[in-house]
Amino acid sequence: MAGVTLKNVCKSYDSVQVINDVSLEIADGEFCVFVGPSGCGKSTLLRMIAGLEDITTGDMKIGGRRVNELAPSERNVSMVFQSYALYPHMDVAQNMAFGLKLAGVSKEDIQSRVAGIASMLQIDRFLKRKPRALSGGQRQRVAIGRALVRDPEVFLFDEPLSNLDAALRTQTRVEIARLHKEYAKASTIYVTHDQVEAMTLADKIVLLNTGADVAKYGSVAQIGSPLELYERPGSVFVAGFLGSPKMNFLDGTVDAVTAAGVQIKTRDGFLLRANVQAKDVAIGDKVQLGVRPEHVEHATTATGNNVMQRTIQWVEHLGDCTYAYLEGDRSVPMIVRLHASSRVAAGEVMSIHVPMGNAHVFREDGRALPRLWG
Ligand SMILES: Nc1ncnc2c1ncn2[C@@H]1O[C@H](COP(=O)(O)OP(=O)(O)OP(=O)(O)O)[C@@H](O)[C@H]1O
Ligand SMILES: [Mg+2]
């Protein structure tokens, strides 16, 4: 087993910089998820670790060994591609055995390893079938099995579940988590744009920036445990990326500053306090107040601390809960998660309470003010 270290890693194609200054440490056995919007460079970064793409500048180590110039086969990593990349003319057993055969492993050894992994992944019934005679989910398991039999030091997964339907995606996600915990405790790097996969699988999330932020702040938006990123997002981008439905953002200005936090005046004149440090802000500064749909409460009174009113535009009953879509800012509705039995209707004015311990504040440049607690 081996940890992975990246130090000031950059990647450019001619004049286009795709990855800007990534430094991170993935501990031995850790499950690390790279997540971010389409085109932010997740696959590129993973392929650089696999050795399939050159590193323009910076240093990369696997198990303490510098691998910048090493070929993929010398890095002891196994990669599972989004497209599965199975050999169509080989059956399942041959597909799984191929890498071992190249590595010169004995026939008996190959057979027993393939049989063991195939039975664990419940694909032992298909060993003699060609990939075209398998469903997407079964092919995915073969691709995972092929990576597992090689018993690598590092597993690399590039969006392995994106071709599966919703039910199978959830099932395979749980399987991958279980495999990592119980069987292959190798360091794992998993790429996805799905924030639920990132939240549920990761020990550590690396959220990547996109667009102009890459040149401005570097490729890494934030690194941390799922809950760290969820509860303490460092920027409006991170806050909006993790969580579904998304965090609500209300435009406002700083109205007052106290030891317990910052008081914001919304564009419609409500005063909302947030338990955040008034770091680098002054009264009158434009800010955004962020609060997640699950933290907003249906208020029983029309007035009181951190109570405001907005008109309901739409209501969705999901069975387990109800979402009220209130008039929001910048043409984005403000979403409130309510009890399933809530009887609210479009057109009504709703009183809501924004708990100050759950309120985030972001400066105009997108940086978060540090939260005092919660
Ligand atoms: N050979 C290349 N030449 C120039 N630009 C490239 C090349 N390969 C990739 N890119 C660019 O690099 C950026 C990152 O691509 P990458 O495939 O790593 O993104 P991603 O985060 O994996 O996206 P997705 O979620 O859509 O898979 C993209 O903007 C892409 O257009
Ligand atoms: Mg990709």
Side-chain angles (χ1 to χ4, degrees), residues 99-134:
L100 295 178
K101 220 167 142 186
L102 283 187
V105 178
S106 76
K107 213 166 170 185
E108 297 73 47
D109 240 10
I110 293 180
Q111 261 181 359
S112 81
R113 269 153 84 171
V114 168
I117 302 277
S119 116
M120 184 188 62
L121 290 170
Q122 296 170 14
I123 46 174
D124 38 353
R125 288 181 294 139
F126 313 125
L127 282 173
K128 289 287 157 235
R129 281 205 212 164
K130 297 272 167 62
R132 66 168 178 277
L134 299 173

PDB file of all heavy atoms in Angstrom, residues 99-134:
ATOM      1  N   GLY A  99      -4.049  -8.435 -17.384  1.00  0.00           N
ATOM      2  CA  GLY A  99      -2.949  -7.695 -16.755  1.00  0.00           C
ATOM      3  C   GLY A  99      -2.006  -8.620 -16.010  1.00  0.00           C
ATOM      4  O   GLY A  99      -0.782  -8.439 -16.024  1.00  0.00           O
ATOM      5  N   LEU A 100      -2.577  -9.644 -15.378  1.00  0.00           N
ATOM      6  CA  LEU A 100      -1.755 -10.586 -14.598  1.00  0.00           C
ATOM      7  C   LEU A 100      -0.884 -11.420 -15.531  1.00  0.00           C
ATOM      8  O   LEU A 100       0.272 -11.711 -15.240  1.00  0.00           O
ATOM      9  CB  LEU A 100      -2.662 -11.514 -13.778  1.00  0.00           C
ATOM     10  CG  LEU A 100      -3.513 -10.858 -12.689  1.00  0.00           C
ATOM     11  CD1 LEU A 100      -4.378 -11.901 -11.999  1.00  0.00           C
ATOM     12  CD2 LEU A 100      -2.627 -10.154 -11.672  1.00  0.00           C
ATOM     13  N   LYS A 101      -1.471 -11.780 -16.663  1.00  0.00           N
ATOM     14  CA  LYS A 101      -0.749 -12.580 -17.653  1.00  0.00           C
ATOM     15  C   LYS A 101       0.471 -11.799 -18.164  1.00  0.00           C
ATOM     16  O   LYS A 101       1.574 -12.335 -18.236  1.00  0.00           O
ATOM     17  CB  LYS A 101      -1.691 -12.872 -18.815  1.00  0.00           C
ATOM     18  CG  LYS A 101      -1.566 -14.263 -19.369  1.00  0.00           C
ATOM     19  CD  LYS A 101      -2.737 -14.550 -20.276  1.00  0.00           C
ATOM     20  CE  LYS A 101      -2.326 -15.348 -21.483  1.00  0.00           C
ATOM     21  NZ  LYS A 101      -3.431 -15.522 -22.440  1.00  0.00           N
ATOM     22  N   LEU A 102       0.221 -10.510 -18.473  1.00  0.00           N
ATOM     23  CA  LEU A 102       1.325  -9.649 -18.932  1.00  0.00           C
ATOM     24  C   LEU A 102       2.416  -9.555 -17.884  1.00  0.00           C
ATOM     25  O   LEU A 102       3.602  -9.478 -18.203  1.00  0.00           O
ATOM     26  CB  LEU A 102       0.811  -8.234 -19.229  1.00  0.00           C
ATOM     27  CG  LEU A 102       0.051  -8.003 -20.527  1.00  0.00           C
ATOM     28  CD1 LEU A 102      -0.205  -6.512 -20.704  1.00  0.00           C
ATOM     29  CD2 LEU A 102       0.840  -8.534 -21.725  1.00  0.00           C
ATOM     30  N   ALA A 103       1.995  -9.548 -16.623  1.00  0.00           N
ATOM     31  CA  ALA A 103       2.960  -9.405 -15.530  1.00  0.00           C
ATOM     32  C   ALA A 103       3.669 -10.728 -15.231  1.00  0.00           C
ATOM     33  O   ALA A 103       4.499 -10.805 -14.325  1.00  0.00           O
ATOM     34  CB  ALA A 103       2.260  -8.874 -14.282  1.00  0.00           C
ATOM     35  N   GLY A 104       3.300 -11.788 -15.967  1.00  0.00           N
ATOM     36  CA  GLY A 104       3.990 -13.065 -15.813  1.00  0.00           C
ATOM     37  C   GLY A 104       3.568 -13.879 -14.602  1.00  0.00           C
ATOM     38  O   GLY A 104       4.306 -14.749 -14.147  1.00  0.00           O
ATOM     39  N   VAL A 105       2.370 -13.632 -14.105  1.00  0.00           N
ATOM     40  CA  VAL A 105       1.867 -14.404 -12.962  1.00  0.00           C
ATOM     41  C   VAL A 105       1.508 -15.814 -13.454  1.00  0.00           C
ATOM     42  O   VAL A 105       1.048 -15.993 -14.586  1.00  0.00           O
ATOM     43  CB  VAL A 105       0.624 -13.705 -12.361  1.00  0.00           C
ATOM     44  CG1 VAL A 105       0.046 -14.494 -11.197  1.00  0.00           C
ATOM     45  CG2 VAL A 105       0.980 -12.284 -11.928  1.00  0.00           C
ATOM     46  N   SER A 106       1.707 -16.819 -12.607  1.00  0.00           N
ATOM     47  CA  SER A 106       1.481 -18.206 -13.038  1.00  0.00           C
ATOM     48  C   SER A 106      -0.003 -18.462 -13.293  1.00  0.00           C
ATOM     49  O   SER A 106      -0.870 -17.812 -12.719  1.00  0.00           O
ATOM     50  CB  SER A 106       1.983 -19.182 -11.977  1.00  0.00           C
ATOM     51  OG  SER A 106       1.055 -19.212 -10.912  1.00  0.00           O
ATOM     52  N   LYS A 107      -0.267 -19.463 -14.141  1.00  0.00           N
ATOM     53  CA  LYS A 107      -1.631 -19.777 -14.567  1.00  0.00           C
ATOM     54  C   LYS A 107      -2.523 -20.112 -13.359  1.00  0.00           C
ATOM     55  O   LYS A 107      -3.660 -19.648 -13.268  1.00  0.00           O
ATOM     56  CB  LYS A 107      -1.588 -20.973 -15.519  1.00  0.00           C
ATOM     57  CG  LYS A 107      -2.647 -20.925 -16.573  1.00  0.00           C
ATOM     58  CD  LYS A 107      -2.359 -21.922 -17.676  1.00  0.00           C
ATOM     59  CE  LYS A 107      -3.583 -22.008 -18.575  1.00  0.00           C
ATOM     60  NZ  LYS A 107      -3.440 -23.043 -19.596  1.00  0.00           N
ATOM     61  N   GLU A 108      -1.986 -20.914 -12.453  1.00  0.00           N
ATOM     62  CA  GLU A 108      -2.769 -21.338 -11.277  1.00  0.00           C
ATOM     63  C   GLU A 108      -3.118 -20.130 -10.412  1.00  0.00           C
ATOM     64  O   GLU A 108      -4.249 -19.990  -9.940  1.00  0.00           O
ATOM     65  CB  GLU A 108      -1.988 -22.351 -10.412  1.00  0.00           C
ATOM     66  CG  GLU A 108      -1.658 -23.672 -11.073  1.00  0.00           C
ATOM     67  CD  GLU A 108      -0.561 -23.557 -12.123  1.00  0.00           C
ATOM     68  OE1 GLU A 108       0.470 -22.917 -11.824  1.00  0.00           O
ATOM     69  OE2 GLU A 108      -0.742 -24.071 -13.254  1.00  0.00           O
ATOM     70  N   ASP A 109      -2.123 -19.277 -10.234  1.00  0.00           N
ATOM     71  CA  ASP A 109      -2.321 -18.061  -9.435  1.00  0.00           C
ATOM     72  C   ASP A 109      -3.400 -17.173 -10.048  1.00  0.00           C
ATOM     73  O   ASP A 109      -4.270 -16.663  -9.354  1.00  0.00           O
ATOM     74  CB  ASP A 109      -1.007 -17.269  -9.401  1.00  0.00           C
ATOM     75  CG  ASP A 109      -0.501 -17.105  -7.991  1.00  0.00           C
ATOM     76  OD1 ASP A 109      -1.076 -17.774  -7.110  1.00  0.00           O
ATOM     77  OD2 ASP A 109       0.455 -16.326  -7.785  1.00  0.00           O
ATOM     78  N   ILE A 110      -3.313 -17.004 -11.374  1.00  0.00           N
ATOM     79  CA  ILE A 110      -4.285 -16.170 -12.076  1.00  0.00           C
ATOM     80  C   ILE A 110      -5.678 -16.744 -11.859  1.00  0.00           C
ATOM     81  O   ILE A 110      -6.620 -16.026 -11.493  1.00  0.00           O
ATOM     82  CB  ILE A 110      -3.978 -16.099 -13.602  1.00  0.00           C
ATOM     83  CG1 ILE A 110      -2.669 -15.348 -13.832  1.00  0.00           C
ATOM     84  CG2 ILE A 110      -5.122 -15.426 -14.352  1.00  0.00           C
ATOM     85  CD1 ILE A 110      -2.267 -15.213 -15.282  1.00  0.00           C
ATOM     86  N   GLN A 111      -5.794 -18.044 -12.057  1.00  0.00           N
ATOM     87  CA  GLN A 111      -7.101 -18.683 -11.943  1.00  0.00           C
ATOM     88  C   GLN A 111      -7.710 -18.486 -10.575  1.00  0.00           C
ATOM     89  O   GLN A 111      -8.886 -18.142 -10.439  1.00  0.00           O
ATOM     90  CB  GLN A 111      -6.985 -20.171 -12.237  1.00  0.00           C
ATOM     91  CG  GLN A 111      -7.397 -20.472 -13.662  1.00  0.00           C
ATOM     92  CD  GLN A 111      -7.321 -21.950 -13.987  1.00  0.00           C
ATOM     93  OE1 GLN A 111      -6.942 -22.761 -13.134  1.00  0.00           O
ATOM     94  NE2 GLN A 111      -7.675 -22.287 -15.212  1.00  0.00           N
ATOM     95  N   SER A 112      -6.902 -18.664  -9.551  1.00  0.00           N
ATOM     96  CA  SER A 112      -7.482 -18.572  -8.208  1.00  0.00           C
ATOM     97  C   SER A 112      -7.814 -17.114  -7.874  1.00  0.00           C
ATOM     98  O   SER A 112      -8.828 -16.839  -7.236  1.00  0.00           O
ATOM     99  CB  SER A 112      -6.568 -19.218  -7.166  1.00  0.00           C
ATOM    100  OG  SER A 112      -5.544 -18.338  -6.808  1.00  0.00           O
ATOM    101  N   ARG A 113      -6.981 -16.166  -8.329  1.00  0.00           N
ATOM    102  CA  ARG A 113      -7.287 -14.766  -8.041  1.00  0.00           C
ATOM    103  C   ARG A 113      -8.542 -14.309  -8.780  1.00  0.00           C
ATOM    104  O   ARG A 113      -9.413 -13.642  -8.213  1.00  0.00           O
ATOM    105  CB  ARG A 113      -6.099 -13.866  -8.393  1.00  0.00           C
ATOM    106  CG  ARG A 113      -5.184 -13.695  -7.176  1.00  0.00           C
ATOM    107  CD  ARG A 113      -3.773 -13.424  -7.571  1.00  0.00           C
ATOM    108  NE  ARG A 113      -3.533 -12.014  -7.844  1.00  0.00           N
ATOM    109  CZ  ARG A 113      -2.309 -11.494  -8.042  1.00  0.00           C
ATOM    110  NH1 ARG A 113      -1.250 -12.260  -7.991  1.00  0.00           N
ATOM    111  NH2 ARG A 113      -2.152 -10.222  -8.274  1.00  0.00           N
ATOM    112  N   VAL A 114      -8.653 -14.677 -10.047  1.00  0.00           N
ATOM    113  CA  VAL A 114      -9.837 -14.288 -10.829  1.00  0.00           C
ATOM    114  C   VAL A 114     -11.087 -14.905 -10.209  1.00  0.00           C
ATOM    115  O   VAL A 114     -12.108 -14.228 -10.042  1.00  0.00           O
ATOM    116  CB  VAL A 114      -9.677 -14.716 -12.317  1.00  0.00           C
ATOM    117  CG1 VAL A 114     -11.001 -14.595 -13.052  1.00  0.00           C
ATOM    118  CG2 VAL A 114      -8.614 -13.867 -12.998  1.00  0.00           C
ATOM    119  N   ALA A 115     -10.990 -16.184  -9.836  1.00  0.00           N
ATOM    120  CA  ALA A 115     -12.172 -16.853  -9.275  1.00  0.00           C
ATOM    121  C   ALA A 115     -12.606 -16.176  -7.970  1.00  0.00           C
ATOM    122  O   ALA A 115     -13.800 -15.953  -7.741  1.00  0.00           O
ATOM    123  CB  ALA A 115     -11.872 -18.327  -9.034  1.00  0.00           C
ATOM    124  N   GLY A 116     -11.632 -15.847  -7.127  1.00  0.00           N
ATOM    125  CA  GLY A 116     -11.951 -15.230  -5.836  1.00  0.00           C
ATOM    126  C   GLY A 116     -12.630 -13.883  -5.998  1.00  0.00           C
ATOM    127  O   GLY A 116     -13.677 -13.617  -5.395  1.00  0.00           O
ATOM    128  N   ILE A 117     -12.067 -13.036  -6.830  1.00  0.00           N
ATOM    129  CA  ILE A 117     -12.622 -11.687  -7.032  1.00  0.00           C
ATOM    130  C   ILE A 117     -13.972 -11.781  -7.746  1.00  0.00           C
ATOM    131  O   ILE A 117     -14.919 -11.062  -7.406  1.00  0.00           O
ATOM    132  CB  ILE A 117     -11.653 -10.817  -7.867  1.00  0.00           C
ATOM    133  CG1 ILE A 117     -10.302 -10.713  -7.185  1.00  0.00           C
ATOM    134  CG2 ILE A 117     -12.256  -9.448  -8.156  1.00  0.00           C
ATOM    135  CD1 ILE A 117     -10.152  -9.698  -6.116  1.00  0.00           C
ATOM    136  N   ALA A 118     -14.073 -12.687  -8.739  1.00  0.00           N
ATOM    137  CA  ALA A 118     -15.324 -12.809  -9.494  1.00  0.00           C
ATOM    138  C   ALA A 118     -16.454 -13.235  -8.559  1.00  0.00           C
ATOM    139  O   ALA A 118     -17.581 -12.735  -8.672  1.00  0.00           O
ATOM    140  CB  ALA A 118     -15.157 -13.816 -10.623  1.00  0.00           C
ATOM    141  N   SER A 119     -16.157 -14.123  -7.640  1.00  0.00           N
ATOM    142  CA  SER A 119     -17.229 -14.559  -6.745  1.00  0.00           C
ATOM    143  C   SER A 119     -17.606 -13.432  -5.796  1.00  0.00           C
ATOM    144  O   SER A 119     -18.776 -13.212  -5.511  1.00  0.00           O
ATOM    145  CB  SER A 119     -16.810 -15.846  -6.034  1.00  0.00           C
ATOM    146  OG  SER A 119     -16.707 -15.654  -4.661  1.00  0.00           O
ATOM    147  N   MET A 120     -16.621 -12.675  -5.336  1.00  0.00           N
ATOM    148  CA  MET A 120     -16.941 -11.553  -4.452  1.00  0.00           C
ATOM    149  C   MET A 120     -17.807 -10.507  -5.168  1.00  0.00           C
ATOM    150  O   MET A 120     -18.721  -9.932  -4.585  1.00  0.00           O
ATOM    151  CB  MET A 120     -15.651 -10.920  -3.970  1.00  0.00           C
ATOM    152  CG  MET A 120     -15.857  -9.822  -2.979  1.00  0.00           C
ATOM    153  SD  MET A 120     -14.308  -9.029  -2.672  1.00  0.00           S
ATOM    154  CE  MET A 120     -13.927  -8.416  -4.267  1.00  0.00           C
ATOM    155  N   LEU A 121     -17.534 -10.278  -6.443  1.00  0.00           N
ATOM    156  CA  LEU A 121     -18.296  -9.272  -7.200  1.00  0.00           C
ATOM    157  C   LEU A 121     -19.556  -9.866  -7.842  1.00  0.00           C
ATOM    158  O   LEU A 121     -20.269  -9.177  -8.567  1.00  0.00           O
ATOM    159  CB  LEU A 121     -17.415  -8.657  -8.297  1.00  0.00           C
ATOM    160  CG  LEU A 121     -16.292  -7.746  -7.819  1.00  0.00           C
ATOM    161  CD1 LEU A 121     -15.366  -7.409  -8.980  1.00  0.00           C
ATOM    162  CD2 LEU A 121     -16.845  -6.461  -7.216  1.00  0.00           C
ATOM    163  N   GLN A 122     -19.788 -11.153  -7.578  1.00  0.00           N
ATOM    164  CA  GLN A 122     -20.946 -11.860  -8.132  1.00  0.00           C
ATOM    165  C   GLN A 122     -20.976 -11.815  -9.658  1.00  0.00           C
ATOM    166  O   GLN A 122     -22.032 -11.571 -10.263  1.00  0.00           O
ATOM    167  CB  GLN A 122     -22.243 -11.301  -7.533  1.00  0.00           C
ATOM    168  CG  GLN A 122     -22.301 -11.544  -6.039  1.00  0.00           C
ATOM    169  CD  GLN A 122     -23.451 -10.799  -5.365  1.00  0.00           C
ATOM    170  OE1 GLN A 122     -24.354 -10.314  -6.016  1.00  0.00           O
ATOM    171  NE2 GLN A 122     -23.416 -10.742  -4.063  1.00  0.00           N
ATOM    172  N   ILE A 123     -19.814 -11.993 -10.251  1.00  0.00           N
ATOM    173  CA  ILE A 123     -19.779 -12.107 -11.708  1.00  0.00           C
ATOM    174  C   ILE A 123     -19.241 -13.473 -12.107  1.00  0.00           C
ATOM    175  O   ILE A 123     -18.910 -13.708 -13.263  1.00  0.00           O
ATOM    176  CB  ILE A 123     -18.928 -10.986 -12.374  1.00  0.00           C
ATOM    177  CG1 ILE A 123     -17.599 -10.810 -11.644  1.00  0.00           C
ATOM    178  CG2 ILE A 123     -19.688  -9.676 -12.439  1.00  0.00           C
ATOM    179  CD1 ILE A 123     -16.643  -9.837 -12.309  1.00  0.00           C
ATOM    180  N   ASP A 124     -19.152 -14.408 -11.137  1.00  0.00           N
ATOM    181  CA  ASP A 124     -18.586 -15.726 -11.442  1.00  0.00           C
ATOM    182  C   ASP A 124     -19.450 -16.505 -12.433  1.00  0.00           C
ATOM    183  O   ASP A 124     -18.950 -17.350 -13.154  1.00  0.00           O
ATOM    184  CB  ASP A 124     -18.317 -16.544 -10.170  1.00  0.00           C
ATOM    185  CG  ASP A 124     -19.367 -16.367  -9.100  1.00  0.00           C
ATOM    186  OD1 ASP A 124     -20.249 -15.497  -9.273  1.00  0.00           O
ATOM    187  OD2 ASP A 124     -19.330 -17.090  -8.106  1.00  0.00           O
ATOM    188  N   ARG A 125     -20.731 -16.171 -12.490  1.00  0.00           N
ATOM    189  CA  ARG A 125     -21.610 -16.860 -13.451  1.00  0.00           C
ATOM    190  C   ARG A 125     -21.304 -16.463 -14.894  1.00  0.00           C
ATOM    191  O   ARG A 125     -21.710 -17.135 -15.824  1.00  0.00           O
ATOM    192  CB  ARG A 125     -23.079 -16.490 -13.181  1.00  0.00           C
ATOM    193  CG  ARG A 125     -23.640 -17.118 -11.931  1.00  0.00           C
ATOM    194  CD  ARG A 125     -25.086 -16.736 -11.760  1.00  0.00           C
ATOM    195  NE  ARG A 125     -25.246 -15.306 -11.502  1.00  0.00           N
ATOM    196  CZ  ARG A 125     -26.198 -14.561 -12.038  1.00  0.00           C
ATOM    197  NH1 ARG A 125     -27.060 -15.055 -12.891  1.00  0.00           N
ATOM    198  NH2 ARG A 125     -26.292 -13.274 -11.721  1.00  0.00           N
ATOM    199  N   PHE A 126     -20.624 -15.317 -15.072  1.00  0.00           N
ATOM    200  CA  PHE A 126     -20.435 -14.788 -16.441  1.00  0.00           C
ATOM    201  C   PHE A 126     -19.026 -14.976 -16.966  1.00  0.00           C
ATOM    202  O   PHE A 126     -18.675 -14.402 -17.988  1.00  0.00           O
ATOM    203  CB  PHE A 126     -20.733 -13.282 -16.468  1.00  0.00           C
ATOM    204  CG  PHE A 126     -21.995 -12.888 -15.776  1.00  0.00           C
ATOM    205  CD1 PHE A 126     -21.981 -11.940 -14.764  1.00  0.00           C
ATOM    206  CD2 PHE A 126     -23.206 -13.459 -16.135  1.00  0.00           C
ATOM    207  CE1 PHE A 126     -23.143 -11.575 -14.122  1.00  0.00           C
ATOM    208  CE2 PHE A 126     -24.382 -13.093 -15.504  1.00  0.00           C
ATOM    209  CZ  PHE A 126     -24.352 -12.152 -14.489  1.00  0.00           C
ATOM    210  N   LEU A 127     -18.209 -15.744 -16.276  1.00  0.00           N
ATOM    211  CA  LEU A 127     -16.780 -15.762 -16.623  1.00  0.00           C
ATOM    212  C   LEU A 127     -16.504 -16.132 -18.080  1.00  0.00           C
ATOM    213  O   LEU A 127     -15.511 -15.696 -18.651  1.00  0.00           O
ATOM    214  CB  LEU A 127     -16.018 -16.715 -15.685  1.00  0.00           C
ATOM    215  CG  LEU A 127     -15.734 -16.147 -14.283  1.00  0.00           C
ATOM    216  CD1 LEU A 127     -15.125 -17.206 -13.379  1.00  0.00           C
ATOM    217  CD2 LEU A 127     -14.829 -14.924 -14.356  1.00  0.00           C
ATOM    218  N   LYS A 128     -17.389 -16.899 -18.667  1.00  0.00           N
ATOM    219  CA  LYS A 128     -17.149 -17.341 -20.053  1.00  0.00           C
ATOM    220  C   LYS A 128     -17.880 -16.467 -21.076  1.00  0.00           C
ATOM    221  O   LYS A 128     -17.881 -16.734 -22.264  1.00  0.00           O
ATOM    222  CB  LYS A 128     -17.582 -18.811 -20.221  1.00  0.00           C
ATOM    223  CG  LYS A 128     -16.661 -19.780 -19.501  1.00  0.00           C
ATOM    224  CD  LYS A 128     -15.320 -19.923 -20.230  1.00  0.00           C
ATOM    225  CE  LYS A 128     -14.215 -20.391 -19.311  1.00  0.00           C
ATOM    226  NZ  LYS A 128     -13.049 -19.523 -19.283  1.00  0.00           N
ATOM    227  N   ARG A 129     -18.547 -15.403 -20.604  1.00  0.00           N
ATOM    228  CA  ARG A 129     -19.274 -14.532 -21.545  1.00  0.00           C
ATOM    229  C   ARG A 129     -18.402 -13.402 -22.060  1.00  0.00           C
ATOM    230  O   ARG A 129     -17.524 -12.921 -21.351  1.00  0.00           O
ATOM    231  CB  ARG A 129     -20.475 -13.909 -20.842  1.00  0.00           C
ATOM    232  CG  ARG A 129     -21.630 -14.849 -20.739  1.00  0.00           C
ATOM    233  CD  ARG A 129     -22.900 -14.031 -20.627  1.00  0.00           C
ATOM    234  NE  ARG A 129     -23.865 -14.744 -19.807  1.00  0.00           N
ATOM    235  CZ  ARG A 129     -24.930 -14.180 -19.284  1.00  0.00           C
ATOM    236  NH1 ARG A 129     -25.168 -12.894 -19.461  1.00  0.00           N
ATOM    237  NH2 ARG A 129     -25.769 -14.890 -18.563  1.00  0.00           N
ATOM    238  N   LYS A 130     -18.724 -12.934 -23.256  1.00  0.00           N
ATOM    239  CA  LYS A 130     -18.061 -11.756 -23.811  1.00  0.00           C
ATOM    240  C   LYS A 130     -18.739 -10.498 -23.247  1.00  0.00           C
ATOM    241  O   LYS A 130     -19.931 -10.541 -22.922  1.00  0.00           O
ATOM    242  CB  LYS A 130     -18.183 -11.745 -25.350  1.00  0.00           C
ATOM    243  CG  LYS A 130     -17.500 -12.934 -26.020  1.00  0.00           C
ATOM    244  CD  LYS A 130     -16.042 -12.624 -26.303  1.00  0.00           C
ATOM    245  CE  LYS A 130     -15.225 -13.838 -26.662  1.00  0.00           C
ATOM    246  NZ  LYS A 130     -15.646 -14.518 -27.872  1.00  0.00           N
ATOM    247  N   PRO A 131     -18.031  -9.391 -23.163  1.00  0.00           N
ATOM    248  CA  PRO A 131     -18.625  -8.168 -22.594  1.00  0.00           C
ATOM    249  C   PRO A 131     -19.949  -7.760 -23.251  1.00  0.00           C
ATOM    250  O   PRO A 131     -20.841  -7.259 -22.580  1.00  0.00           O
ATOM    251  CB  PRO A 131     -17.550  -7.101 -22.840  1.00  0.00           C
ATOM    252  CG  PRO A 131     -16.281  -7.859 -22.884  1.00  0.00           C
ATOM    253  CD  PRO A 131     -16.610  -9.195 -23.495  1.00  0.00           C
ATOM    254  N   ARG A 132     -20.084  -7.986 -24.571  1.00  0.00           N
ATOM    255  CA  ARG A 132     -21.309  -7.519 -25.237  1.00  0.00           C
ATOM    256  C   ARG A 132     -22.543  -8.258 -24.726  1.00  0.00           C
ATOM    257  O   ARG A 132     -23.667  -7.787 -24.917  1.00  0.00           O
ATOM    258  CB  ARG A 132     -21.199  -7.640 -26.759  1.00  0.00           C
ATOM    259  CG  ARG A 132     -21.105  -9.043 -27.268  1.00  0.00           C
ATOM    260  CD  ARG A 132     -21.287  -9.142 -28.787  1.00  0.00           C
ATOM    261  NE  ARG A 132     -21.131 -10.534 -29.189  1.00  0.00           N
ATOM    262  CZ  ARG A 132     -19.953 -11.102 -29.410  1.00  0.00           C
ATOM    263  NH1 ARG A 132     -18.850 -10.395 -29.330  1.00  0.00           N
ATOM    264  NH2 ARG A 132     -19.883 -12.385 -29.720  1.00  0.00           N
ATOM    265  N   ALA A 133     -22.348  -9.406 -24.088  1.00  0.00           N
ATOM    266  CA  ALA A 133     -23.481 -10.160 -23.562  1.00  0.00           C
ATOM    267  C   ALA A 133     -23.754  -9.828 -22.096  1.00  0.00           C
ATOM    268  O   ALA A 133     -24.419 -10.573 -21.394  1.00  0.00           O
ATOM    269  CB  ALA A 133     -23.211 -11.660 -23.721  1.00  0.00           C
ATOM    270  N   LEU A 134     -23.231  -8.695 -21.644  1.00  0.00           N
ATOM    271  CA  LEU A 134     -23.432  -8.290 -20.243  1.00  0.00           C
ATOM    272  C   LEU A 134     -24.163  -6.944 -20.191  1.00  0.00           C
ATOM    273  O   LEU A 134     -24.050  -6.134 -21.112  1.00  0.00           O
ATOM    274  CB  LEU A 134     -22.084  -8.131 -19.540  1.00  0.00           C
ATOM    275  CG  LEU A 134     -21.185  -9.357 -19.440  1.00  0.00           C
ATOM    276  CD1 LEU A 134     -19.834  -8.946 -18.869  1.00  0.00           C
ATOM    277  CD2 LEU A 134     -21.818 -10.430 -18.578  1.00  0.00           C
TER     278      LEU A 134
END
